[in-house]
Amino acid sequence: MFKFIEHWATVDIFNFEKVSPKLKIYPHILFAGKSNVGKSSLINALCRKKIAFTSKTPGRTRFLYFYMIDKKWLLVDSPGFGYTHNPEDRKRFKKLMDLYFNSNFNIKQIFLLVDVRFIDDPLNVEAYSWFKSLKLPIHLITTKSDKLRKDKLRFTEELIKDIFPYTEYTFTSTKKSMGISELIKKIKNTVY
Ligand code: GDP
């Protein structure tokens, strides 16, 4: 469980340089995934607090949200990718993420969230390759794992090993509270 959770910053391409110094002090854990993957549900379950908002919230694709946890690390909630086909918004998303990745932040972990039913979605594979090329430590999280039967989950596990080789993974479901305490442990081992 995490004790102290406070909003630390909301960042877009316009205030990035100004806010950046205060983001350098603490290690980051970044949550990324396609829009509607269940990212805000998972963040809220981990924090036991409603801090993150669904990618359906207007404007949600433009910002990086930072939360200070236990005065030790920053939880980074990134815009869901693939939400918009508007070229301007896509450019802006890419620009924001490039700024973020080129700022020498201490990114301890990227949690890449993928819907358990659509592991091999091209956008997931693209994001994985992108993060890999940046040499960032990726941990795969399947969301909505309650939506598959046990035997299908085993098949999915094989698929994960195929598509995302040598990558740690955790099956989660916020509906069934599955994988939540494992993730908290994993985060604590990484940053505490
Ligand atoms: P975000 O857009 O990635 O932040 O996704 P949300 O957290 O808003 O979730 C998108 C939809 O998926 C919502 O309708 C949630 O209720 C649903 N959802 C999220 N997590 C789970 C889960 O673990 N199981 C199931 N069955 N549905 C989920």
Side-chain angles (χ1 to χ4, degrees):
M1 208 184 126
F2 304 115
K3 288 200 188 98
F4 303 107
I5 297 159
E6 58 173 318
H7 175 251
W8 189 247
T10 299
V11 173
D12 69 3
I13 54 174
F14 301 110
N15 70 354
F16 196 94
E17 299 305 334
K18 187 165 170 260
V19 182
S20 183
K22 85 174 208 175
L23 306 175
K24 291 227 159 103
I25 309 165
Y26 297 94
H28 294 196
I29 293 189
L30 176 74
F31 289 74
K34 264 187 84 169
S35 57
N36 216 34
V37 69
K39 182 160 53 67
S40 58
S41 303
L42 184 76
I43 289 173
N44 293 339
L46 286 170
C47 294
R48 292 203 194 169
K49 204 173 171 183
K50 197 170 182 308
I51 58 167
F53 294 96
T54 173
S55 46
K56 284 185 192 126
T57 310
R60 184 60 197 80
T61 53
R62 293 182 178 179
F63 301 101
L64 281 161
Y65 298 90
F66 295 81
Y67 299 94
M68 170 63 72
I69 316 285
D70 290 349
K71 303 195 190 310
K72 281 189 183 350
W73 61 281
L74 290 172
L75 185 158
V76 190
D77 182 9
S78 68
F81 39 82
Y83 177 71
T84 172
H85 292 287
N86 178 325
E88 277 310 306
D89 284 348
R90 290 175 82 105
K91 238 194 253 167
R92 199 164 149 158
F93 167 80
K94 183 76 172 51
K95 191 168 173 193
L96 178 63
M97 295 315 290
D98 283 342
L99 277 170
Y100 177 74
F101 286 131
N102 291 326
S103 293
N104 276 322
F105 294 132
N106 179 10
I107 305 170
K108 286 275 188 206
Q109 188 78 72
I110 289 198
F111 286 124
L112 174 58
L113 278 61
V114 299
D115 187 316
V116 78
R117 298 162 298 170
F118 314 112
I119 298 287
D120 53 356
D121 184 299
L123 281 177
N124 294 340
V125 180
E126 197 183 305
Y128 178 81
S129 307
W130 182 22
F131 301 153
K132 260 271 175 280
S133 72
L134 296 168
K135 305 214 179 329
L136 292 164
I138 306 169
H139 185 102
L140 200 82
I141 294 178
T142 72
T143 58
K144 313 186 188 181
S145 303
D146 57 282
K147 295 222 182 214
L148 286 189
R149 291 202 320 260
K150 275 240 163 72
D151 53 330
K152 283 263 171 117
L153 281 182
R154 265 194 292 278
F155 172 77
T156 303
E157 206 165 351
E158 293 310 311
L159 200 62
I160 290 174
K161 287 178 187 160
D162 244 22
I163 305 174
F164 312 102
Y166 308 109
T167 304
E168 283 184 54
Y169 55 87
T170 306
F171 283 96
T172 72
S173 158
T174 50
K175 239 186 187 158
K176 296 268 164 78
S177 275
M178 172 185 181
I180 305 297
S181 52
E182 287 88 330
L183 277 185
I184 292 174
K185 239 185 250 161
K186 159 104 196 143
I187 292 169
K188 290 196 166 176
N189 284 336
T190 307
V191 285
Y192 283 60

PDB file of all heavy atoms in Angstrom, residues 30 32-34 78-82 93 97 101 110-114 119 121-136 138 140 164:
ATOM      1  N   LEU A  30       6.585   4.889 -15.229  1.00  0.00           N
ATOM      2  CA  LEU A  30       5.666   5.366 -16.267  1.00  0.00           C
ATOM      3  C   LEU A  30       4.626   4.300 -16.608  1.00  0.00           C
ATOM      4  O   LEU A  30       4.969   3.130 -16.805  1.00  0.00           O
ATOM      5  CB  LEU A  30       6.477   5.705 -17.513  1.00  0.00           C
ATOM      6  CG  LEU A  30       5.696   6.140 -18.748  1.00  0.00           C
ATOM      7  CD1 LEU A  30       5.161   7.555 -18.589  1.00  0.00           C
ATOM      8  CD2 LEU A  30       6.576   6.091 -19.995  1.00  0.00           C
ATOM      9  N   ALA A  32       1.951   3.282 -19.429  1.00  0.00           N
ATOM     10  CA  ALA A  32       1.631   3.583 -20.821  1.00  0.00           C
ATOM     11  C   ALA A  32       0.749   2.482 -21.392  1.00  0.00           C
ATOM     12  O   ALA A  32       0.799   1.331 -20.950  1.00  0.00           O
ATOM     13  CB  ALA A  32       2.927   3.681 -21.628  1.00  0.00           C
ATOM     14  N   GLY A  33      -0.054   2.862 -22.364  1.00  0.00           N
ATOM     15  CA  GLY A  33      -0.899   1.850 -23.006  1.00  0.00           C
ATOM     16  C   GLY A  33      -1.899   2.504 -23.936  1.00  0.00           C
ATOM     17  O   GLY A  33      -2.063   3.734 -23.921  1.00  0.00           O
ATOM     18  N   LYS A  34      -2.532   1.694 -24.741  1.00  0.00           N
ATOM     19  CA  LYS A  34      -3.569   2.208 -25.646  1.00  0.00           C
ATOM     20  C   LYS A  34      -4.686   2.840 -24.843  1.00  0.00           C
ATOM     21  O   LYS A  34      -4.950   2.407 -23.710  1.00  0.00           O
ATOM     22  CB  LYS A  34      -4.175   1.032 -26.438  1.00  0.00           C
ATOM     23  CG  LYS A  34      -3.575   0.826 -27.782  1.00  0.00           C
ATOM     24  CD  LYS A  34      -4.341  -0.231 -28.541  1.00  0.00           C
ATOM     25  CE  LYS A  34      -5.560   0.324 -29.235  1.00  0.00           C
ATOM     26  NZ  LYS A  34      -6.179  -0.637 -30.179  1.00  0.00           N
ATOM     27  N   SER A  78       0.723   8.565 -18.603  1.00  0.00           N
ATOM     28  CA  SER A  78       0.915   9.140 -19.946  1.00  0.00           C
ATOM     29  C   SER A  78      -0.372   9.035 -20.755  1.00  0.00           C
ATOM     30  O   SER A  78      -1.242   8.215 -20.453  1.00  0.00           O
ATOM     31  CB  SER A  78       2.056   8.415 -20.665  1.00  0.00           C
ATOM     32  OG  SER A  78       1.685   7.087 -20.956  1.00  0.00           O
ATOM     33  N   PRO A  79      -0.506   9.861 -21.792  1.00  0.00           N
ATOM     34  CA  PRO A  79      -1.741   9.812 -22.593  1.00  0.00           C
ATOM     35  C   PRO A  79      -1.888   8.443 -23.254  1.00  0.00           C
ATOM     36  O   PRO A  79      -0.901   7.863 -23.699  1.00  0.00           O
ATOM     37  CB  PRO A  79      -1.513  10.878 -23.662  1.00  0.00           C
ATOM     38  CG  PRO A  79      -0.365  11.692 -23.211  1.00  0.00           C
ATOM     39  CD  PRO A  79       0.456  10.839 -22.315  1.00  0.00           C
ATOM     40  N   GLY A  80      -3.128   7.949 -23.322  1.00  0.00           N
ATOM     41  CA  GLY A  80      -3.357   6.684 -24.010  1.00  0.00           C
ATOM     42  C   GLY A  80      -3.068   6.854 -25.490  1.00  0.00           C
ATOM     43  O   GLY A  80      -3.495   7.839 -26.077  1.00  0.00           O
ATOM     44  N   PHE A  81      -2.330   5.910 -26.080  1.00  0.00           N
ATOM     45  CA  PHE A  81      -2.065   6.101 -27.500  1.00  0.00           C
ATOM     46  C   PHE A  81      -3.151   5.463 -28.364  1.00  0.00           C
ATOM     47  O   PHE A  81      -3.880   4.594 -27.928  1.00  0.00           O
ATOM     48  CB  PHE A  81      -0.664   5.642 -27.917  1.00  0.00           C
ATOM     49  CG  PHE A  81      -0.152   4.400 -27.270  1.00  0.00           C
ATOM     50  CD1 PHE A  81      -0.518   3.143 -27.736  1.00  0.00           C
ATOM     51  CD2 PHE A  81       0.733   4.484 -26.202  1.00  0.00           C
ATOM     52  CE1 PHE A  81      -0.028   1.994 -27.152  1.00  0.00           C
ATOM     53  CE2 PHE A  81       1.231   3.339 -25.612  1.00  0.00           C
ATOM     54  CZ  PHE A  81       0.841   2.088 -26.084  1.00  0.00           C
ATOM     55  N   GLY A  82      -3.241   5.988 -29.582  1.00  0.00           N
ATOM     56  CA  GLY A  82      -4.215   5.452 -30.545  1.00  0.00           C
ATOM     57  C   GLY A  82      -5.622   5.987 -30.378  1.00  0.00           C
ATOM     58  O   GLY A  82      -6.528   5.543 -31.050  1.00  0.00           O
ATOM     59  N   PHE A  93       1.157  14.445 -29.404  1.00  0.00           N
ATOM     60  CA  PHE A  93       1.436  13.321 -28.500  1.00  0.00           C
ATOM     61  C   PHE A  93       2.891  12.865 -28.656  1.00  0.00           C
ATOM     62  O   PHE A  93       3.624  12.694 -27.682  1.00  0.00           O
ATOM     63  CB  PHE A  93       0.474  12.160 -28.807  1.00  0.00           C
ATOM     64  CG  PHE A  93       0.870  10.859 -28.160  1.00  0.00           C
ATOM     65  CD1 PHE A  93       0.591  10.619 -26.823  1.00  0.00           C
ATOM     66  CD2 PHE A  93       1.519   9.865 -28.893  1.00  0.00           C
ATOM     67  CE1 PHE A  93       0.955   9.421 -26.214  1.00  0.00           C
ATOM     68  CE2 PHE A  93       1.885   8.664 -28.291  1.00  0.00           C
ATOM     69  CZ  PHE A  93       1.607   8.447 -26.957  1.00  0.00           C
ATOM     70  N   MET A  97       5.949  13.023 -25.869  1.00  0.00           N
ATOM     71  CA  MET A  97       6.659  11.829 -25.420  1.00  0.00           C
ATOM     72  C   MET A  97       8.151  11.914 -25.763  1.00  0.00           C
ATOM     73  O   MET A  97       8.989  11.472 -24.980  1.00  0.00           O
ATOM     74  CB  MET A  97       6.035  10.562 -26.031  1.00  0.00           C
ATOM     75  CG  MET A  97       4.606  10.283 -25.586  1.00  0.00           C
ATOM     76  SD  MET A  97       4.303  10.466 -23.808  1.00  0.00           S
ATOM     77  CE  MET A  97       5.185   9.063 -23.131  1.00  0.00           C
ATOM     78  N   PHE A 101      11.096  11.569 -23.123  1.00  0.00           N
ATOM     79  CA  PHE A 101      12.140  10.536 -23.197  1.00  0.00           C
ATOM     80  C   PHE A 101      13.534  11.124 -23.409  1.00  0.00           C
ATOM     81  O   PHE A 101      14.525  10.462 -23.139  1.00  0.00           O
ATOM     82  CB  PHE A 101      11.817   9.533 -24.307  1.00  0.00           C
ATOM     83  CG  PHE A 101      10.688   8.603 -23.946  1.00  0.00           C
ATOM     84  CD1 PHE A 101       9.637   8.388 -24.833  1.00  0.00           C
ATOM     85  CD2 PHE A 101      10.673   7.934 -22.731  1.00  0.00           C
ATOM     86  CE1 PHE A 101       8.590   7.537 -24.498  1.00  0.00           C
ATOM     87  CE2 PHE A 101       9.631   7.078 -22.386  1.00  0.00           C
ATOM     88  CZ  PHE A 101       8.592   6.892 -23.276  1.00  0.00           C
ATOM     89  N   ILE A 110       9.009   1.101 -17.067  1.00  0.00           N
ATOM     90  CA  ILE A 110       7.811   1.409 -17.850  1.00  0.00           C
ATOM     91  C   ILE A 110       6.867   0.246 -17.703  1.00  0.00           C
ATOM     92  O   ILE A 110       7.241  -0.909 -17.969  1.00  0.00           O
ATOM     93  CB  ILE A 110       8.117   1.596 -19.348  1.00  0.00           C
ATOM     94  CG1 ILE A 110       8.875   2.891 -19.581  1.00  0.00           C
ATOM     95  CG2 ILE A 110       6.820   1.631 -20.148  1.00  0.00           C
ATOM     96  CD1 ILE A 110       8.851   3.362 -21.013  1.00  0.00           C
ATOM     97  N   PHE A 111       5.681   0.508 -17.257  1.00  0.00           N
ATOM     98  CA  PHE A 111       4.633  -0.508 -17.283  1.00  0.00           C
ATOM     99  C   PHE A 111       3.866  -0.307 -18.582  1.00  0.00           C
ATOM    100  O   PHE A 111       3.210   0.724 -18.772  1.00  0.00           O
ATOM    101  CB  PHE A 111       3.694  -0.358 -16.087  1.00  0.00           C
ATOM    102  CG  PHE A 111       4.309  -0.816 -14.791  1.00  0.00           C
ATOM    103  CD1 PHE A 111       4.377   0.034 -13.695  1.00  0.00           C
ATOM    104  CD2 PHE A 111       4.807  -2.110 -14.652  1.00  0.00           C
ATOM    105  CE1 PHE A 111       4.939  -0.396 -12.491  1.00  0.00           C
ATOM    106  CE2 PHE A 111       5.374  -2.545 -13.451  1.00  0.00           C
ATOM    107  CZ  PHE A 111       5.437  -1.681 -12.380  1.00  0.00           C
ATOM    108  N   LEU A 112       3.985  -1.295 -19.457  1.00  0.00           N
ATOM    109  CA  LEU A 112       3.237  -1.246 -20.715  1.00  0.00           C
ATOM    110  C   LEU A 112       1.973  -2.089 -20.532  1.00  0.00           C
ATOM    111  O   LEU A 112       2.045  -3.304 -20.350  1.00  0.00           O
ATOM    112  CB  LEU A 112       4.091  -1.779 -21.870  1.00  0.00           C
ATOM    113  CG  LEU A 112       3.392  -1.918 -23.226  1.00  0.00           C
ATOM    114  CD1 LEU A 112       2.807  -0.592 -23.714  1.00  0.00           C
ATOM    115  CD2 LEU A 112       4.365  -2.469 -24.281  1.00  0.00           C
ATOM    116  N   LEU A 113       0.841  -1.394 -20.563  1.00  0.00           N
ATOM    117  CA  LEU A 113      -0.441  -2.074 -20.328  1.00  0.00           C
ATOM    118  C   LEU A 113      -1.036  -2.555 -21.647  1.00  0.00           C
ATOM    119  O   LEU A 113      -1.127  -1.776 -22.604  1.00  0.00           O
ATOM    120  CB  LEU A 113      -1.430  -1.107 -19.658  1.00  0.00           C
ATOM    121  CG  LEU A 113      -1.329  -0.934 -18.146  1.00  0.00           C
ATOM    122  CD1 LEU A 113       0.025  -0.376 -17.736  1.00  0.00           C
ATOM    123  CD2 LEU A 113      -2.436  -0.011 -17.653  1.00  0.00           C
ATOM    124  N   VAL A 114      -1.415  -3.821 -21.679  1.00  0.00           N
ATOM    125  CA  VAL A 114      -2.072  -4.355 -22.876  1.00  0.00           C
ATOM    126  C   VAL A 114      -3.336  -5.115 -22.469  1.00  0.00           C
ATOM    127  O   VAL A 114      -3.334  -5.822 -21.456  1.00  0.00           O
ATOM    128  CB  VAL A 114      -1.129  -5.287 -23.691  1.00  0.00           C
ATOM    129  CG1 VAL A 114       0.105  -4.531 -24.168  1.00  0.00           C
ATOM    130  CG2 VAL A 114      -0.707  -6.507 -22.890  1.00  0.00           C
ATOM    131  N   ILE A 119      -3.470  -8.821 -27.095  1.00  0.00           N
ATOM    132  CA  ILE A 119      -2.036  -8.707 -26.824  1.00  0.00           C
ATOM    133  C   ILE A 119      -1.256  -8.240 -28.052  1.00  0.00           C
ATOM    134  O   ILE A 119      -0.386  -7.384 -27.962  1.00  0.00           O
ATOM    135  CB  ILE A 119      -1.488 -10.107 -26.427  1.00  0.00           C
ATOM    136  CG1 ILE A 119      -2.152 -10.600 -25.148  1.00  0.00           C
ATOM    137  CG2 ILE A 119       0.030 -10.116 -26.300  1.00  0.00           C
ATOM    138  CD1 ILE A 119      -1.704  -9.904 -23.920  1.00  0.00           C
ATOM    139  N   ASP A 121      -2.073  -6.552 -30.677  1.00  0.00           N
ATOM    140  CA  ASP A 121      -2.488  -5.329 -31.365  1.00  0.00           C
ATOM    141  C   ASP A 121      -1.235  -4.591 -31.871  1.00  0.00           C
ATOM    142  O   ASP A 121      -0.276  -4.404 -31.124  1.00  0.00           O
ATOM    143  CB  ASP A 121      -3.253  -4.447 -30.359  1.00  0.00           C
ATOM    144  CG  ASP A 121      -3.812  -3.195 -30.993  1.00  0.00           C
ATOM    145  OD1 ASP A 121      -3.021  -2.369 -31.507  1.00  0.00           O
ATOM    146  OD2 ASP A 121      -5.039  -3.046 -30.966  1.00  0.00           O
ATOM    147  N   PRO A 122      -1.231  -4.184 -33.139  1.00  0.00           N
ATOM    148  CA  PRO A 122      -0.042  -3.530 -33.698  1.00  0.00           C
ATOM    149  C   PRO A 122       0.453  -2.334 -32.877  1.00  0.00           C
ATOM    150  O   PRO A 122       1.655  -2.105 -32.793  1.00  0.00           O
ATOM    151  CB  PRO A 122      -0.500  -3.062 -35.084  1.00  0.00           C
ATOM    152  CG  PRO A 122      -1.668  -3.914 -35.419  1.00  0.00           C
ATOM    153  CD  PRO A 122      -2.307  -4.337 -34.139  1.00  0.00           C
ATOM    154  N   LEU A 123      -0.477  -1.604 -32.253  1.00  0.00           N
ATOM    155  CA  LEU A 123      -0.038  -0.452 -31.449  1.00  0.00           C
ATOM    156  C   LEU A 123       0.748  -0.889 -30.211  1.00  0.00           C
ATOM    157  O   LEU A 123       1.650  -0.185 -29.756  1.00  0.00           O
ATOM    158  CB  LEU A 123      -1.244   0.401 -31.035  1.00  0.00           C
ATOM    159  CG  LEU A 123      -1.796   1.352 -32.099  1.00  0.00           C
ATOM    160  CD1 LEU A 123      -3.023   2.072 -31.581  1.00  0.00           C
ATOM    161  CD2 LEU A 123      -0.742   2.360 -32.536  1.00  0.00           C
ATOM    162  N   ASN A 124       0.414  -2.062 -29.678  1.00  0.00           N
ATOM    163  CA  ASN A 124       1.176  -2.595 -28.542  1.00  0.00           C
ATOM    164  C   ASN A 124       2.591  -2.959 -28.973  1.00  0.00           C
ATOM    165  O   ASN A 124       3.569  -2.650 -28.285  1.00  0.00           O
ATOM    166  CB  ASN A 124       0.509  -3.855 -27.969  1.00  0.00           C
ATOM    167  CG  ASN A 124      -0.844  -3.563 -27.347  1.00  0.00           C
ATOM    168  OD1 ASN A 124      -1.136  -2.412 -27.003  1.00  0.00           O
ATOM    169  ND2 ASN A 124      -1.662  -4.592 -27.201  1.00  0.00           N
ATOM    170  N   VAL A 125       2.661  -3.620 -30.111  1.00  0.00           N
ATOM    171  CA  VAL A 125       3.961  -4.069 -30.622  1.00  0.00           C
ATOM    172  C   VAL A 125       4.835  -2.859 -30.966  1.00  0.00           C
ATOM    173  O   VAL A 125       6.029  -2.816 -30.657  1.00  0.00           O
ATOM    174  CB  VAL A 125       3.766  -4.988 -31.859  1.00  0.00           C
ATOM    175  CG1 VAL A 125       5.103  -5.458 -32.396  1.00  0.00           C
ATOM    176  CG2 VAL A 125       2.877  -6.171 -31.500  1.00  0.00           C
ATOM    177  N   GLU A 126       4.191  -1.849 -31.552  1.00  0.00           N
ATOM    178  CA  GLU A 126       4.907  -0.617 -31.904  1.00  0.00           C
ATOM    179  C   GLU A 126       5.454   0.081 -30.657  1.00  0.00           C
ATOM    180  O   GLU A 126       6.618   0.493 -30.620  1.00  0.00           O
ATOM    181  CB  GLU A 126       3.925   0.308 -32.628  1.00  0.00           C
ATOM    182  CG  GLU A 126       4.544   1.427 -33.413  1.00  0.00           C
ATOM    183  CD  GLU A 126       3.467   2.323 -34.022  1.00  0.00           C
ATOM    184  OE1 GLU A 126       2.589   1.798 -34.745  1.00  0.00           O
ATOM    185  OE2 GLU A 126       3.490   3.525 -33.744  1.00  0.00           O
ATOM    186  N   ALA A 127       4.619   0.175 -29.620  1.00  0.00           N
ATOM    187  CA  ALA A 127       5.049   0.827 -28.377  1.00  0.00           C
ATOM    188  C   ALA A 127       6.196   0.041 -27.743  1.00  0.00           C
ATOM    189  O   ALA A 127       7.192   0.617 -27.286  1.00  0.00           O
ATOM    190  CB  ALA A 127       3.875   0.929 -27.405  1.00  0.00           C
ATOM    191  N   TYR A 128       6.061  -1.266 -27.753  1.00  0.00           N
ATOM    192  CA  TYR A 128       7.107  -2.130 -27.175  1.00  0.00           C
ATOM    193  C   TYR A 128       8.446  -1.882 -27.882  1.00  0.00           C
ATOM    194  O   TYR A 128       9.479  -1.700 -27.231  1.00  0.00           O
ATOM    195  CB  TYR A 128       6.672  -3.590 -27.322  1.00  0.00           C
ATOM    196  CG  TYR A 128       7.680  -4.581 -26.809  1.00  0.00           C
ATOM    197  CD1 TYR A 128       7.779  -4.871 -25.449  1.00  0.00           C
ATOM    198  CD2 TYR A 128       8.535  -5.248 -27.694  1.00  0.00           C
ATOM    199  CE1 TYR A 128       8.709  -5.785 -24.985  1.00  0.00           C
ATOM    200  CE2 TYR A 128       9.455  -6.168 -27.231  1.00  0.00           C
ATOM    201  CZ  TYR A 128       9.540  -6.430 -25.883  1.00  0.00           C
ATOM    202  OH  TYR A 128      10.458  -7.328 -25.425  1.00  0.00           O
ATOM    203  N   SER A 129       8.422  -1.853 -29.223  1.00  0.00           N
ATOM    204  CA  SER A 129       9.663  -1.649 -29.991  1.00  0.00           C
ATOM    205  C   SER A 129      10.253  -0.270 -29.704  1.00  0.00           C
ATOM    206  O   SER A 129      11.464  -0.111 -29.595  1.00  0.00           O
ATOM    207  CB  SER A 129       9.401  -1.746 -31.491  1.00  0.00           C
ATOM    208  OG  SER A 129       8.748  -2.931 -31.781  1.00  0.00           O
ATOM    209  N   TRP A 130       9.361   0.689 -29.600  1.00  0.00           N
ATOM    210  CA  TRP A 130       9.793   2.063 -29.300  1.00  0.00           C
ATOM    211  C   TRP A 130      10.529   2.112 -27.956  1.00  0.00           C
ATOM    212  O   TRP A 130      11.652   2.608 -27.850  1.00  0.00           O
ATOM    213  CB  TRP A 130       8.549   2.950 -29.310  1.00  0.00           C
ATOM    214  CG  TRP A 130       8.762   4.415 -29.074  1.00  0.00           C
ATOM    215  CD1 TRP A 130       9.907   5.126 -29.261  1.00  0.00           C
ATOM    216  CD2 TRP A 130       7.772   5.352 -28.635  1.00  0.00           C
ATOM    217  NE1 TRP A 130       9.697   6.448 -28.963  1.00  0.00           N
ATOM    218  CE2 TRP A 130       8.409   6.622 -28.578  1.00  0.00           C
ATOM    219  CE3 TRP A 130       6.424   5.260 -28.286  1.00  0.00           C
ATOM    220  CZ2 TRP A 130       7.727   7.775 -28.178  1.00  0.00           C
ATOM    221  CZ3 TRP A 130       5.751   6.415 -27.902  1.00  0.00           C
ATOM    222  CH2 TRP A 130       6.389   7.648 -27.843  1.00  0.00           C
ATOM    223  N   PHE A 131       9.904   1.576 -26.907  1.00  0.00           N
ATOM    224  CA  PHE A 131      10.508   1.606 -25.567  1.00  0.00           C
ATOM    225  C   PHE A 131      11.795   0.785 -25.532  1.00  0.00           C
ATOM    226  O   PHE A 131      12.760   1.142 -24.877  1.00  0.00           O
ATOM    227  CB  PHE A 131       9.521   1.083 -24.514  1.00  0.00           C
ATOM    228  CG  PHE A 131       8.236   1.858 -24.443  1.00  0.00           C
ATOM    229  CD1 PHE A 131       7.059   1.251 -24.001  1.00  0.00           C
ATOM    230  CD2 PHE A 131       8.198   3.197 -24.810  1.00  0.00           C
ATOM    231  CE1 PHE A 131       5.872   1.962 -23.934  1.00  0.00           C
ATOM    232  CE2 PHE A 131       7.009   3.919 -24.740  1.00  0.00           C
ATOM    233  CZ  PHE A 131       5.850   3.302 -24.304  1.00  0.00           C
ATOM    234  N   LYS A 132      11.784  -0.328 -26.246  1.00  0.00           N
ATOM    235  CA  LYS A 132      12.972  -1.191 -26.316  1.00  0.00           C
ATOM    236  C   LYS A 132      14.128  -0.420 -26.941  1.00  0.00           C
ATOM    237  O   LYS A 132      15.258  -0.471 -26.460  1.00  0.00           O
ATOM    238  CB  LYS A 132      12.673  -2.415 -27.192  1.00  0.00           C
ATOM    239  CG  LYS A 132      12.350  -3.685 -26.409  1.00  0.00           C
ATOM    240  CD  LYS A 132      13.649  -4.414 -26.141  1.00  0.00           C
ATOM    241  CE  LYS A 132      13.577  -5.615 -25.292  1.00  0.00           C
ATOM    242  NZ  LYS A 132      13.509  -5.665 -23.934  1.00  0.00           N
ATOM    243  N   SER A 133      13.806   0.310 -28.036  1.00  0.00           N
ATOM    244  CA  SER A 133      14.865   1.038 -28.739  1.00  0.00           C
ATOM    245  C   SER A 133      15.453   2.130 -27.838  1.00  0.00           C
ATOM    246  O   SER A 133      16.592   2.548 -28.019  1.00  0.00           O
ATOM    247  CB  SER A 133      14.337   1.640 -30.040  1.00  0.00           C
ATOM    248  OG  SER A 133      13.484   2.728 -29.755  1.00  0.00           O
ATOM    249  N   LEU A 134      14.684   2.586 -26.861  1.00  0.00           N
ATOM    250  CA  LEU A 134      15.165   3.596 -25.917  1.00  0.00           C
ATOM    251  C   LEU A 134      15.870   2.950 -24.716  1.00  0.00           C
ATOM    252  O   LEU A 134      16.291   3.630 -23.793  1.00  0.00           O
ATOM    253  CB  LEU A 134      13.990   4.458 -25.427  1.00  0.00           C
ATOM    254  CG  LEU A 134      13.286   5.299 -26.489  1.00  0.00           C
ATOM    255  CD1 LEU A 134      11.975   5.871 -25.955  1.00  0.00           C
ATOM    256  CD2 LEU A 134      14.191   6.435 -26.948  1.00  0.00           C
ATOM    257  N   LYS A 135      15.950   1.620 -24.773  1.00  0.00           N
ATOM    258  CA  LYS A 135      16.609   0.823 -23.720  1.00  0.00           C
ATOM    259  C   LYS A 135      15.980   1.040 -22.341  1.00  0.00           C
ATOM    260  O   LYS A 135      16.669   1.113 -21.320  1.00  0.00           O
ATOM    261  CB  LYS A 135      18.109   1.137 -23.678  1.00  0.00           C
ATOM    262  CG  LYS A 135      18.818   0.948 -25.009  1.00  0.00           C
ATOM    263  CD  LYS A 135      20.224   0.448 -24.821  1.00  0.00           C
ATOM    264  CE  LYS A 135      21.011   0.210 -26.082  1.00  0.00           C
ATOM    265  NZ  LYS A 135      20.277  -0.194 -27.275  1.00  0.00           N
ATOM    266  N   LEU A 136      14.672   1.166 -22.331  1.00  0.00           N
ATOM    267  CA  LEU A 136      13.967   1.370 -21.069  1.00  0.00           C
ATOM    268  C   LEU A 136      13.492   0.032 -20.511  1.00  0.00           C
ATOM    269  O   LEU A 136      13.141  -0.868 -21.278  1.00  0.00           O
ATOM    270  CB  LEU A 136      12.761   2.294 -21.303  1.00  0.00           C
ATOM    271  CG  LEU A 136      13.145   3.723 -21.662  1.00  0.00           C
ATOM    272  CD1 LEU A 136      11.964   4.475 -22.252  1.00  0.00           C
ATOM    273  CD2 LEU A 136      13.674   4.451 -20.437  1.00  0.00           C
ATOM    274  N   ILE A 138      11.124  -2.497 -19.460  1.00  0.00           N
ATOM    275  CA  ILE A 138       9.691  -2.687 -19.690  1.00  0.00           C
ATOM    276  C   ILE A 138       9.169  -3.841 -18.850  1.00  0.00           C
ATOM    277  O   ILE A 138       9.793  -4.893 -18.767  1.00  0.00           O
ATOM    278  CB  ILE A 138       9.416  -3.028 -21.177  1.00  0.00           C
ATOM    279  CG1 ILE A 138      10.036  -1.978 -22.101  1.00  0.00           C
ATOM    280  CG2 ILE A 138       7.920  -3.173 -21.446  1.00  0.00           C
ATOM    281  CD1 ILE A 138      10.048  -2.383 -23.569  1.00  0.00           C
ATOM    282  N   LEU A 140       5.507  -5.824 -18.727  1.00  0.00           N
ATOM    283  CA  LEU A 140       4.214  -5.903 -19.399  1.00  0.00           C
ATOM    284  C   LEU A 140       3.102  -6.194 -18.391  1.00  0.00           C
ATOM    285  O   LEU A 140       3.267  -7.037 -17.507  1.00  0.00           O
ATOM    286  CB  LEU A 140       4.278  -7.027 -20.438  1.00  0.00           C
ATOM    287  CG  LEU A 140       3.226  -6.937 -21.528  1.00  0.00           C
ATOM    288  CD1 LEU A 140       3.691  -5.945 -22.593  1.00  0.00           C
ATOM    289  CD2 LEU A 140       2.986  -8.292 -22.163  1.00  0.00           C
ATOM    290  N   PHE A 164       6.776 -10.623 -26.904  1.00  0.00           N
ATOM    291  CA  PHE A 164       7.589  -9.754 -26.039  1.00  0.00           C
ATOM    292  C   PHE A 164       8.616 -10.617 -25.302  1.00  0.00           C
ATOM    293  O   PHE A 164       8.527 -10.790 -24.081  1.00  0.00           O
ATOM    294  CB  PHE A 164       6.700  -9.014 -25.033  1.00  0.00           C
ATOM    295  CG  PHE A 164       5.491  -8.352 -25.648  1.00  0.00           C
ATOM    296  CD1 PHE A 164       4.233  -8.932 -25.550  1.00  0.00           C
ATOM    297  CD2 PHE A 164       5.616  -7.153 -26.338  1.00  0.00           C
ATOM    298  CE1 PHE A 164       3.110  -8.331 -26.113  1.00  0.00           C
ATOM    299  CE2 PHE A 164       4.500  -6.535 -26.909  1.00  0.00           C
ATOM    300  CZ  PHE A 164       3.252  -7.125 -26.802  1.00  0.00           C
TER     301      PHE A 164
END
